[in-house]
Amino acid sequence: ALPQPPGAAGAQAQPRTGKYTKPVIDAHAHYYSPEFVSLMIKEGGANGVAITGPNKNGEYTVVVPNPTPGDNNFLWYSPNGSTFTRNMADLDFMIQEMDGRGIDMYAISMTHPKVYWASPEFGLRLSQAQNDGVSAATVKYPKRFIGTIILPMQSPKLAIQELERASKLPGTRAINLGEHINGTNLSDKSFWPVWE
């Protein structure tokens, strides 16, 4: 387990007030699975990723290649990198934060850097790693986490392949997508086979 970074979200989280008759579900909770993080650390450098870390909190930061140089407006691209922080990578710590905020369940999803920047083959492997890890989280804590899968949409063929596989994983309930894929709108005809 990673040590808690100073000023982590859990330290500032406000407890829920009032009673609810239904479970409180946070549908926008980010998660980096250990499988995804390990694959990024192990093979990201060979795929153009700049990796630093671990820092004093045991966290790694990655800066992925931007497929459209000069355009930093992609939701999943951050020129300063993405840090795999404890409150998005440590399930037990995430549950502590949830309890402190009065959240019963998280729907966990990938945030930047997502996988669209990668070659189709590496994007598939990153998706598989993340999706397997998300499923494992939902199996370990079925009353705390609902899983969303990510697809290597830069290759609709591989996206369909992973959709067929990952949709059968325990605990997966939705697909997590960016608003566009490397600048191509989701309505583009190239994605129609995925929607079908």
Side-chain angles (χ1 to χ4, degrees):
L2 300 172
Q4 181 176 356
Q12 300 168 356
Q14 298 299 312
R16 179 176 82 195
T17 58
K19 299 261 183 198
Y20 297 92
T21 59
K22 302 288 184 189
V24 176
I25 301 173
D26 184 339
H28 190 162
H30 296 304
Y31 177 61
Y32 300 110
S33 76
E35 294 84 350
F36 175 85
V37 173
S38 294
L39 184 57
M40 283 290 279
I41 292 167
K42 183 177 178 185
E43 298 184 30
N47 287 277
V49 179
I51 303 169
T52 56
N55 64 17
K56 65 181 180 177
N57 299 313
E59 303 163 339
Y60 289 85
T61 298
V62 299
V63 178
V64 301
N66 187 347
T68 309
D71 186 351
N72 296 333
N73 295 318
F74 291 107
L75 285 178
W76 48 264
Y77 180 77
S78 172
N80 298 321
S82 306
T83 301
F84 305 136
T85 58
R86 186 177 187 195
N87 66 338
M88 291 190 282
D90 180 329
L91 293 173
D92 293 320
F93 184 71
M94 290 168 69
I95 289 173
Q96 288 176 15
E97 284 194 322
M98 292 164 70
D99 290 343
R101 294 175 53 218
I103 303 295
D104 299 301
M105 183 174 277
Y106 272 170
I108 49 179
S109 60
M110 171 66 71
T111 186
H112 56 77
K114 292 199 182 284
V115 300
Y116 310 139
W117 54 270
S119 69
E121 295 75 20
F122 192 51
L124 174 63
R125 293 180 57 225
L126 288 168
S127 297
Q128 290 169 335
Q130 175 70 5
N131 296 338
D132 289 347
V134 164
S135 177
T138 68
V139 168
K140 184 174 182 180
Y141 297 108
K143 294 184 178 181
R144 303 312 302 263
F145 299 110
I146 298 169
T148 69
I149 62 173
I150 191 159
L151 303 174
M153 293 294 291
Q154 63 271 48
S155 168
K157 179 181 176 182
L158 294 180
I160 293 169
Q161 176 183 320
E162 180 58 5
L163 174 61
E164 293 292 334
R165 186 194 77 88
S167 65
K168 296 175 180 72
L169 294 173
T172 59
R173 298 288 181 268
I175 301 169
N176 170 31
L177 290 169
E179 289 185 3
H180 57 80
I181 310 301
N182 298 338
T184 301
N185 192 285
L186 295 176
S187 65
D188 189 84
K189 273 191 161 185
S190 64
F191 300 127
W192 286 12
V194 180
W195 313 145
E196 183 180 355

